[in-house]
Amino acid sequence: MPGVGKSRRAPIGRGGESSDMRRPFSSYPVPETEYFERVLRHDPNSLTQLIAATSASLPPVRDLAARGLSLYAPWALLDAAWVSLARGRDSRPGATSADLHQILDLFLALDDPVTQEPEGMKRWEGYLQRATHHQGPWQEDAYAQLSRSIALLDQTPYPDDADDPLEVILPGWDHELLGCSLADYLGIVHLVWGCATAHPNPRRRGRFALDWLAVADYDQFDGLRSPAQVKTVLNRHFVTTKNKLRAAFPDDHDPLLRRYTHNPLRSSPLVGGVPGGYLVPVPAAVLGKATPLGLYYTGGDNKSEWGKAFTNDVGRLFERYVGRQLDLLLDAKIHPEVLVKISKKDKKKTIDFFVVFPDLVLLVEVKSTRPSEQLRLGGPDFTSLLLATPLKKAFEQINGSVDLLRSGKYPELADIPADRRMIGMVVTAELFHQINTPAYRAALPDTDIPVMVTSIAELEDAVTITSTSLAKLLCAADDAGVANLRQLFPQYEFLEHNAVLEQGWSAIPFARPCQPRSQDTAAAEPGSGPERRP
């Protein structure tokens, strides 16, 4: 099996000159028809193989700009592959690296609804929503996301006698949904990604074939023991074909928004029916299948009763997972949700967790919610879109808990001090970009205390802070009016390990055992050993 560690990767493009990568070809805005014409000028087999080989040799997204490779973003490469496979015609001329450079330059200059909208703040707020939600998932820490999947769904205890029991995430759920254990599913993802990006033979990068594996490689899986078993899982969840992509391409799409909508190569990042094994146009897309969001969509088809139950169960587990993260704090006492008796007939639940520091009470409400496609597309009426999310209820829940606590009437809250500074935190499963900026906060209910919306990824880092207290970090963020906690992270030191994530990582085949991590690396690549973001 090829190694899955980091490799030194040379710049790509004409002559390997990074300055050439910066030279623009197109003036903004470019109509989608011009971009399509340029993509479809080439045989899809040739162009997508070039895209796959190019993508496999790229540095992490965070390093593209410094290397003069900004055009070669994974979302741009994946879009070009989608258009080529779905709309291209065989037997057209092959593509060169210069052709790909021009295609990606056109993609960067594609027209956007921002050019059609009147001047004003809402015009740019919509654009930022589209851009950040389109690009943000590609820049999240891969080590944390893969570790979180198994830590959340496999390692978070849930009592059998809970008042709100799990419905479908029960023993064997992963075999029913995925066709193998969750750990083996993540192992497949790690294996495909590693082979596609770091195969010793450069000509095989951007591809994956089961016959590359030795019999001994299957010993690393927990239950998968043969190429046939792995192939079944791959074909069920990862593989698409040109015919499927052609049949599903939206003919009535909005040319200004299509690229921001769901790319089917995100759901099925391997292309079958091509010589030499599976084609992997953008290996980073394979990792997305194993993130909590990828698994959420794999199991959460809300058109079925099983899918609805699955997403409900994920929400139940997510609340307890947040509790596991809070338990890592050494200078705080964690109090779970309290049921307060308001009257003889009326009882009211508080927020999910009170985190009591010596100088602060943090009120945490957990919402396993994700921004809808309409919100991600930056529609003009984001106020009503936000109010339709569980965030509205979370803000109201924090307000209600503050009122109960400050009233001093309820003995159930006697252990929670009411005389300290209070800050609220809504922890979400995915990042809501721009959510803490004034325009978006104005769309949500007013609160009696400062409230920050924080993604679980931010919290996982924040609970490992060492050079100060999380309480002081939260107060500093509130005093400075920062939009998210990560803005302040560079000022502080953190533990090398988040113990909950480390436990998850150690369960993934082909990732275990962990390798030492570098302190000066900003994010992690699976196979290189987990590394800190701050």
Short mmCIF file of all heavy atoms in Angstrom, two decimals, residues 24-77:
data_model
loop_
_atom_site.label_atom_id
_atom_site.label_comp_id
_atom_site.label_asym_id
_atom_site.label_seq_id
_atom_site.Cartn_x
_atom_site.Cartn_y
_atom_site.Cartn_z
N PRO A 24 -3.81 36.85 -15.18
CA PRO A 24 -5.22 36.66 -15.54
C PRO A 24 -5.42 36.58 -17.05
O PRO A 24 -4.69 37.18 -17.82
CB PRO A 24 -5.88 37.91 -14.95
CG PRO A 24 -4.81 38.95 -15.00
CD PRO A 24 -3.52 38.22 -14.76
N PHE A 25 -6.41 35.83 -17.43
CA PHE A 25 -6.80 35.75 -18.84
C PHE A 25 -8.12 36.48 -19.11
O PHE A 25 -8.38 36.92 -20.20
CB PHE A 25 -6.97 34.28 -19.26
CG PHE A 25 -5.69 33.53 -19.38
CD1 PHE A 25 -5.16 32.86 -18.30
CD2 PHE A 25 -5.02 33.47 -20.60
CE1 PHE A 25 -3.98 32.14 -18.41
CE2 PHE A 25 -3.84 32.75 -20.73
CZ PHE A 25 -3.32 32.09 -19.63
N SER A 26 -8.97 36.55 -18.10
CA SER A 26 -10.36 36.95 -18.34
C SER A 26 -10.73 38.19 -17.55
O SER A 26 -10.20 38.44 -16.47
CB SER A 26 -11.31 35.81 -17.95
OG SER A 26 -10.90 34.61 -18.55
N SER A 27 -11.65 38.96 -18.11
CA SER A 27 -12.20 40.12 -17.42
C SER A 27 -13.53 39.73 -16.80
O SER A 27 -14.36 39.05 -17.42
CB SER A 27 -12.40 41.28 -18.39
OG SER A 27 -11.15 41.67 -18.94
N TYR A 28 -13.77 40.19 -15.59
CA TYR A 28 -15.01 39.90 -14.87
C TYR A 28 -16.10 40.84 -15.37
O TYR A 28 -15.82 42.01 -15.62
CB TYR A 28 -14.78 40.12 -13.37
CG TYR A 28 -15.98 39.85 -12.51
CD1 TYR A 28 -16.29 38.56 -12.12
CD2 TYR A 28 -16.79 40.89 -12.09
CE1 TYR A 28 -17.38 38.30 -11.33
CE2 TYR A 28 -17.89 40.63 -11.29
CZ TYR A 28 -18.18 39.34 -10.90
OH TYR A 28 -19.26 39.09 -10.12
N PRO A 29 -17.35 40.38 -15.52
CA PRO A 29 -17.81 39.00 -15.30
C PRO A 29 -17.85 38.19 -16.60
O PRO A 29 -18.05 38.73 -17.68
CB PRO A 29 -19.22 39.22 -14.78
CG PRO A 29 -19.70 40.45 -15.48
CD PRO A 29 -18.48 41.32 -15.67
N VAL A 30 -17.66 36.90 -16.46
CA VAL A 30 -17.72 35.96 -17.58
C VAL A 30 -19.06 35.24 -17.54
O VAL A 30 -19.45 34.71 -16.50
CB VAL A 30 -16.57 34.94 -17.49
CG1 VAL A 30 -16.78 33.78 -18.44
CG2 VAL A 30 -15.24 35.62 -17.78
N PRO A 31 -19.81 35.18 -18.62
CA PRO A 31 -21.06 34.42 -18.62
C PRO A 31 -20.78 32.92 -18.57
O PRO A 31 -19.75 32.45 -19.07
CB PRO A 31 -21.73 34.82 -19.94
CG PRO A 31 -20.61 35.27 -20.82
CD PRO A 31 -19.57 35.87 -19.91
N GLU A 32 -21.70 32.18 -17.98
CA GLU A 32 -21.49 30.75 -17.84
C GLU A 32 -21.36 30.06 -19.19
O GLU A 32 -20.64 29.07 -19.33
CB GLU A 32 -22.64 30.12 -17.04
CG GLU A 32 -22.37 28.68 -16.67
CD GLU A 32 -23.52 28.04 -15.92
OE1 GLU A 32 -24.62 27.95 -16.51
OE2 GLU A 32 -23.33 27.64 -14.76
N THR A 33 -22.04 30.56 -20.21
CA THR A 33 -21.95 29.95 -21.54
C THR A 33 -20.52 29.96 -22.07
O THR A 33 -20.08 29.00 -22.72
CB THR A 33 -22.87 30.67 -22.53
OG1 THR A 33 -22.61 32.09 -22.46
CG2 THR A 33 -24.34 30.42 -22.21
N GLU A 34 -19.78 31.04 -21.80
CA GLU A 34 -18.38 31.10 -22.24
C GLU A 34 -17.53 30.10 -21.49
O GLU A 34 -16.65 29.44 -22.07
CB GLU A 34 -17.84 32.52 -22.05
CG GLU A 34 -16.41 32.70 -22.54
CD GLU A 34 -15.90 34.11 -22.35
OE1 GLU A 34 -16.73 35.04 -22.18
OE2 GLU A 34 -14.66 34.31 -22.35
N TYR A 35 -17.77 29.98 -20.20
CA TYR A 35 -17.05 28.99 -19.40
C TYR A 35 -17.35 27.58 -19.87
O TYR A 35 -16.45 26.75 -20.05
CB TYR A 35 -17.45 29.19 -17.94
CG TYR A 35 -17.06 28.08 -16.99
CD1 TYR A 35 -15.72 27.81 -16.70
CD2 TYR A 35 -18.04 27.31 -16.35
CE1 TYR A 35 -15.37 26.80 -15.80
CE2 TYR A 35 -17.70 26.31 -15.46
CZ TYR A 35 -16.37 26.05 -15.19
OH TYR A 35 -16.03 25.06 -14.31
N PHE A 36 -18.64 27.28 -20.11
CA PHE A 36 -19.01 25.96 -20.61
C PHE A 36 -18.32 25.66 -21.93
O PHE A 36 -17.77 24.57 -22.13
CB PHE A 36 -20.53 25.89 -20.80
CG PHE A 36 -21.31 25.55 -19.57
CD1 PHE A 36 -20.72 25.57 -18.32
CD2 PHE A 36 -22.65 25.22 -19.65
CE1 PHE A 36 -21.44 25.27 -17.18
CE2 PHE A 36 -23.39 24.91 -18.53
CZ PHE A 36 -22.78 24.93 -17.29
N GLU A 37 -18.33 26.62 -22.83
CA GLU A 37 -17.73 26.40 -24.15
C GLU A 37 -16.26 26.05 -24.02
O GLU A 37 -15.75 25.18 -24.72
CB GLU A 37 -17.91 27.66 -25.00
CG GLU A 37 -17.44 27.52 -26.45
CD GLU A 37 -15.93 27.69 -26.61
OE1 GLU A 37 -15.34 28.49 -25.83
OE2 GLU A 37 -15.33 27.02 -27.48
N ARG A 38 -15.57 26.73 -23.09
CA ARG A 38 -14.14 26.48 -22.93
C ARG A 38 -13.89 25.09 -22.33
O ARG A 38 -12.97 24.38 -22.75
CB ARG A 38 -13.53 27.57 -22.02
CG ARG A 38 -12.00 27.51 -21.95
CD ARG A 38 -11.40 27.83 -23.30
NE ARG A 38 -9.93 27.64 -23.31
CZ ARG A 38 -9.33 26.47 -23.51
NH1 ARG A 38 -10.05 25.36 -23.69
NH2 ARG A 38 -8.01 26.38 -23.55
N VAL A 39 -14.72 24.68 -21.38
CA VAL A 39 -14.58 23.35 -20.78
C VAL A 39 -14.86 22.27 -21.82
O VAL A 39 -14.12 21.28 -21.95
CB VAL A 39 -15.52 23.18 -19.58
CG1 VAL A 39 -15.52 21.73 -19.08
CG2 VAL A 39 -15.13 24.11 -18.44
N LEU A 40 -15.94 22.45 -22.58
CA LEU A 40 -16.41 21.41 -23.49
C LEU A 40 -15.60 21.33 -24.77
O LEU A 40 -15.86 20.49 -25.63
CB LEU A 40 -17.89 21.64 -23.81
CG LEU A 40 -18.81 21.67 -22.59
CD1 LEU A 40 -20.26 21.88 -23.00
CD2 LEU A 40 -18.67 20.40 -21.77
N ARG A 41 -14.59 22.16 -24.89
CA ARG A 41 -13.71 22.09 -26.04
C ARG A 41 -12.84 20.83 -26.01
O ARG A 41 -12.26 20.43 -27.02
CB ARG A 41 -12.82 23.33 -26.07
CG ARG A 41 -12.08 23.59 -27.37
CD ARG A 41 -11.21 24.83 -27.25
NE ARG A 41 -11.99 26.03 -26.96
CZ ARG A 41 -11.44 27.22 -26.71
NH1 ARG A 41 -10.11 27.35 -26.72
NH2 ARG A 41 -12.20 28.26 -26.47
N HIS A 42 -12.79 20.18 -24.86
CA HIS A 42 -11.86 19.06 -24.67
C HIS A 42 -12.57 17.75 -24.38
O HIS A 42 -13.67 17.73 -23.82
CB HIS A 42 -10.89 19.38 -23.53
CG HIS A 42 -10.13 20.64 -23.73
ND1 HIS A 42 -9.10 20.75 -24.65
CD2 HIS A 42 -10.27 21.87 -23.16
CE1 HIS A 42 -8.63 21.99 -24.62
NE2 HIS A 42 -9.32 22.69 -23.73
N ASP A 43 -11.91 16.67 -24.76
CA ASP A 43 -12.39 15.34 -24.44
C ASP A 43 -12.50 15.21 -22.91
O ASP A 43 -11.53 15.49 -22.20
CB ASP A 43 -11.40 14.31 -24.98
CG ASP A 43 -11.86 12.88 -24.72
OD1 ASP A 43 -11.83 12.46 -23.54
OD2 ASP A 43 -12.20 12.20 -25.68
N PRO A 44 -13.65 14.80 -22.37
CA PRO A 44 -13.79 14.74 -20.91
C PRO A 44 -12.82 13.77 -20.24
O PRO A 44 -12.38 14.01 -19.11
CB PRO A 44 -15.25 14.31 -20.70
CG PRO A 44 -15.69 13.76 -22.01
CD PRO A 44 -14.91 14.47 -23.05
N ASN A 45 -12.46 12.67 -20.92
CA ASN A 45 -11.49 11.76 -20.33
C ASN A 45 -10.14 12.45 -20.13
O ASN A 45 -9.51 12.33 -19.08
CB ASN A 45 -11.32 10.52 -21.20
CG ASN A 45 -12.59 9.69 -21.27
OD1 ASN A 45 -13.25 9.47 -20.27
ND2 ASN A 45 -12.93 9.24 -22.47
N SER A 46 -9.72 13.19 -21.15
CA SER A 46 -8.44 13.89 -21.08
C SER A 46 -8.47 14.98 -20.01
O SER A 46 -7.57 15.07 -19.17
CB SER A 46 -8.11 14.50 -22.44
OG SER A 46 -7.00 15.38 -22.34
N LEU A 47 -9.53 15.80 -20.02
CA LEU A 47 -9.58 16.93 -19.09
C LEU A 47 -9.70 16.47 -17.65
O LEU A 47 -9.00 16.97 -16.76
CB LEU A 47 -10.73 17.86 -19.46
CG LEU A 47 -10.91 19.09 -18.54
CD1 LEU A 47 -9.64 19.93 -18.49
CD2 LEU A 47 -12.10 19.93 -19.01
N THR A 48 -10.56 15.50 -17.39
CA THR A 48 -10.76 15.08 -15.99
C THR A 48 -9.55 14.31 -15.46
O THR A 48 -9.24 14.39 -14.27
CB THR A 48 -12.03 14.24 -15.83
OG1 THR A 48 -12.01 13.14 -16.76
CG2 THR A 48 -13.26 15.08 -16.06
N GLN A 49 -8.84 13.58 -16.33
CA GLN A 49 -7.60 12.95 -15.88
C GLN A 49 -6.55 14.00 -15.54
O GLN A 49 -5.80 13.86 -14.56
CB GLN A 49 -7.08 12.01 -16.96
CG GLN A 49 -7.90 10.73 -17.10
CD GLN A 49 -7.44 9.85 -18.25
OE1 GLN A 49 -6.26 9.86 -18.59
NE2 GLN A 49 -8.34 9.09 -18.83
N LEU A 50 -6.51 15.08 -16.31
CA LEU A 50 -5.60 16.18 -16.00
C LEU A 50 -6.00 16.84 -14.68
O LEU A 50 -5.14 17.17 -13.85
CB LEU A 50 -5.61 17.19 -17.14
CG LEU A 50 -4.79 18.47 -16.94
CD1 LEU A 50 -3.30 18.14 -16.74
CD2 LEU A 50 -4.99 19.43 -18.12
N ILE A 51 -7.30 17.05 -14.49
CA ILE A 51 -7.79 17.64 -13.24
C ILE A 51 -7.40 16.76 -12.05
O ILE A 51 -6.92 17.25 -11.02
CB ILE A 51 -9.31 17.84 -13.30
CG1 ILE A 51 -9.65 18.99 -14.25
CG2 ILE A 51 -9.88 18.11 -11.91
CD1 ILE A 51 -11.14 19.13 -14.55
N ALA A 52 -7.58 15.44 -12.20
CA ALA A 52 -7.27 14.53 -11.10
C ALA A 52 -5.78 14.55 -10.77
O ALA A 52 -5.40 14.63 -9.60
CB ALA A 52 -7.71 13.11 -11.47
N ALA A 53 -4.94 14.49 -11.79
CA ALA A 53 -3.50 14.51 -11.56
C ALA A 53 -3.06 15.84 -10.95
O ALA A 53 -2.18 15.89 -10.08
CB ALA A 53 -2.75 14.25 -12.86
N THR A 54 -3.66 16.92 -11.41
CA THR A 54 -3.33 18.24 -10.88
C THR A 54 -3.75 18.38 -9.43
O THR A 54 -2.98 18.80 -8.57
CB THR A 54 -4.03 19.32 -11.73
OG1 THR A 54 -3.58 19.24 -13.07
CG2 THR A 54 -3.74 20.71 -11.18
N SER A 55 -5.00 18.00 -9.16
CA SER A 55 -5.52 18.13 -7.80
C SER A 55 -4.72 17.29 -6.81
O SER A 55 -4.47 17.71 -5.68
CB SER A 55 -6.99 17.72 -7.77
OG SER A 55 -7.55 17.89 -6.50
N ALA A 56 -4.31 16.10 -7.23
CA ALA A 56 -3.57 15.20 -6.34
C ALA A 56 -2.21 15.76 -5.97
O ALA A 56 -1.63 15.35 -4.96
CB ALA A 56 -3.41 13.84 -7.00
N SER A 57 -1.68 16.69 -6.76
CA SER A 57 -0.34 17.21 -6.50
C SER A 57 -0.34 18.55 -5.79
O SER A 57 0.72 19.11 -5.52
CB SER A 57 0.42 17.37 -7.83
OG SER A 57 -0.16 18.40 -8.60
N LEU A 58 -1.53 19.05 -5.45
CA LEU A 58 -1.62 20.39 -4.86
C LEU A 58 -1.36 20.38 -3.36
O LEU A 58 -1.63 19.39 -2.67
CB LEU A 58 -3.02 20.96 -5.10
CG LEU A 58 -3.33 21.38 -6.54
CD1 LEU A 58 -4.81 21.69 -6.68
CD2 LEU A 58 -2.49 22.60 -6.94
N PRO A 59 -0.86 21.48 -2.83
CA PRO A 59 -0.75 21.63 -1.38
C PRO A 59 -2.13 21.87 -0.77
O PRO A 59 -3.11 22.06 -1.50
CB PRO A 59 0.14 22.86 -1.21
CG PRO A 59 -0.15 23.68 -2.43
CD PRO A 59 -0.38 22.68 -3.54
N PRO A 60 -2.26 21.87 0.56
CA PRO A 60 -3.55 22.18 1.18
C PRO A 60 -4.07 23.54 0.75
O PRO A 60 -3.29 24.43 0.35
CB PRO A 60 -3.22 22.16 2.69
CG PRO A 60 -2.01 21.30 2.80
CD PRO A 60 -1.22 21.54 1.54
N VAL A 61 -5.38 23.72 0.85
CA VAL A 61 -6.01 24.96 0.39
C VAL A 61 -5.37 26.18 1.02
O VAL A 61 -5.18 27.21 0.37
CB VAL A 61 -7.52 24.92 0.70
CG1 VAL A 61 -8.18 26.25 0.37
CG2 VAL A 61 -8.20 23.80 -0.08
N ARG A 62 -5.02 26.07 2.30
CA ARG A 62 -4.48 27.23 3.02
C ARG A 62 -3.17 27.72 2.41
O ARG A 62 -2.75 28.85 2.65
CB ARG A 62 -4.24 26.85 4.49
CG ARG A 62 -3.15 25.79 4.66
CD ARG A 62 -2.91 25.42 6.11
NE ARG A 62 -1.80 24.47 6.21
CZ ARG A 62 -1.92 23.17 6.13
NH1 ARG A 62 -3.11 22.64 5.94
NH2 ARG A 62 -0.87 22.38 6.25
N ASP A 63 -2.47 26.84 1.64
CA ASP A 63 -1.16 27.19 1.09
C ASP A 63 -1.22 27.59 -0.38
O ASP A 63 -0.19 27.95 -0.97
CB ASP A 63 -0.20 26.01 1.23
CG ASP A 63 0.09 25.67 2.68
OD1 ASP A 63 0.00 26.57 3.53
OD2 ASP A 63 0.41 24.50 2.96
N LEU A 64 -2.39 27.53 -1.01
CA LEU A 64 -2.47 27.79 -2.45
C LEU A 64 -2.04 29.20 -2.80
O LEU A 64 -1.27 29.40 -3.75
CB LEU A 64 -3.90 27.53 -2.95
CG LEU A 64 -4.37 26.08 -2.96
CD1 LEU A 64 -5.83 26.00 -3.39
CD2 LEU A 64 -3.51 25.23 -3.89
N ALA A 65 -2.54 30.18 -2.06
CA ALA A 65 -2.23 31.57 -2.41
C ALA A 65 -0.73 31.84 -2.29
O ALA A 65 -0.13 32.49 -3.16
CB ALA A 65 -3.02 32.52 -1.52
N ALA A 66 -0.11 31.35 -1.22
CA ALA A 66 1.31 31.60 -1.01
C ALA A 66 2.15 30.96 -2.11
O ALA A 66 3.25 31.44 -2.41
CB ALA A 66 1.74 31.07 0.35
N ARG A 67 1.64 29.90 -2.71
CA ARG A 67 2.38 29.21 -3.78
C ARG A 67 2.00 29.73 -5.17
O ARG A 67 2.45 29.20 -6.17
CB ARG A 67 2.08 27.71 -3.70
CG ARG A 67 2.56 27.03 -2.43
CD ARG A 67 4.00 26.57 -2.56
NE ARG A 67 4.11 25.54 -3.58
CZ ARG A 67 3.88 24.24 -3.36
NH1 ARG A 67 3.54 23.82 -2.14
NH2 ARG A 67 4.00 23.37 -4.33
N GLY A 68 1.18 30.77 -5.23
CA GLY A 68 0.76 31.28 -6.53
C GLY A 68 -0.20 30.38 -7.26
O GLY A 68 -0.26 30.38 -8.48
N LEU A 69 -0.98 29.59 -6.50
CA LEU A 69 -1.87 28.59 -7.09
C LEU A 69 -3.33 28.84 -6.76
O LEU A 69 -4.13 27.92 -6.71
CB LEU A 69 -1.46 27.19 -6.60
CG LEU A 69 -0.04 26.74 -6.91
CD1 LEU A 69 0.30 25.47 -6.14
CD2 LEU A 69 0.12 26.50 -8.40
N SER A 70 -3.69 30.08 -6.55
CA SER A 70 -5.05 30.38 -6.09
C SER A 70 -6.13 29.88 -7.04
O SER A 70 -7.23 29.53 -6.62
CB SER A 70 -5.21 31.89 -5.88
OG SER A 70 -4.36 32.34 -4.86
N LEU A 71 -5.83 29.87 -8.33
CA LEU A 71 -6.83 29.40 -9.30
C LEU A 71 -7.19 27.94 -9.08
O LEU A 71 -8.30 27.51 -9.40
CB LEU A 71 -6.31 29.56 -10.72
CG LEU A 71 -6.26 30.95 -11.34
CD1 LEU A 71 -5.75 30.86 -12.76
CD2 LEU A 71 -7.63 31.61 -11.31
N TYR A 72 -6.25 27.18 -8.49
CA TYR A 72 -6.39 25.72 -8.44
C TYR A 72 -7.11 25.27 -7.16
O TYR A 72 -6.76 24.28 -6.53
CB TYR A 72 -5.02 25.07 -8.57
CG TYR A 72 -4.47 25.26 -9.96
CD1 TYR A 72 -3.89 26.47 -10.34
CD2 TYR A 72 -4.56 24.25 -10.91
CE1 TYR A 72 -3.41 26.66 -11.62
CE2 TYR A 72 -4.09 24.44 -12.20
CZ TYR A 72 -3.51 25.65 -12.55
OH TYR A 72 -3.05 25.83 -13.83
N ALA A 73 -8.13 26.00 -6.80
CA ALA A 73 -8.92 25.65 -5.62
C ALA A 73 -9.73 24.39 -5.90
O ALA A 73 -10.17 24.16 -7.04
CB ALA A 73 -9.86 26.79 -5.25
N PRO A 74 -9.95 23.53 -4.90
CA PRO A 74 -10.66 22.28 -5.15
C PRO A 74 -12.08 22.48 -5.66
O PRO A 74 -12.56 21.68 -6.46
CB PRO A 74 -10.63 21.57 -3.79
CG PRO A 74 -10.30 22.63 -2.79
CD PRO A 74 -9.48 23.63 -3.51
N TRP A 75 -12.76 23.54 -5.19
CA TRP A 75 -14.13 23.75 -5.67
C TRP A 75 -14.15 24.12 -7.15
O TRP A 75 -15.10 23.76 -7.86
CB TRP A 75 -14.83 24.82 -4.82
CG TRP A 75 -14.09 26.12 -4.68
CD1 TRP A 75 -14.14 27.21 -5.50
CD2 TRP A 75 -13.15 26.45 -3.63
NE1 TRP A 75 -13.31 28.20 -5.05
CE2 TRP A 75 -12.70 27.78 -3.89
CE3 TRP A 75 -12.69 25.79 -2.51
CZ2 TRP A 75 -11.79 28.44 -3.06
CZ3 TRP A 75 -11.78 26.45 -1.69
CH2 TRP A 75 -11.34 27.75 -1.96
N ALA A 76 -13.12 24.81 -7.62
CA ALA A 76 -13.05 25.16 -9.05
C ALA A 76 -12.72 23.93 -9.89
O ALA A 76 -13.34 23.69 -10.94
CB ALA A 76 -12.00 26.25 -9.26
N LEU A 77 -11.77 23.14 -9.43
CA LEU A 77 -11.41 21.92 -10.15
C LEU A 77 -12.59 20.96 -10.22
O LEU A 77 -12.85 20.34 -11.26
CB LEU A 77 -10.23 21.24 -9.46
CG LEU A 77 -8.88 21.96 -9.59
CD1 LEU A 77 -7.90 21.46 -8.53
CD2 LEU A 77 -8.29 21.78 -10.98
#
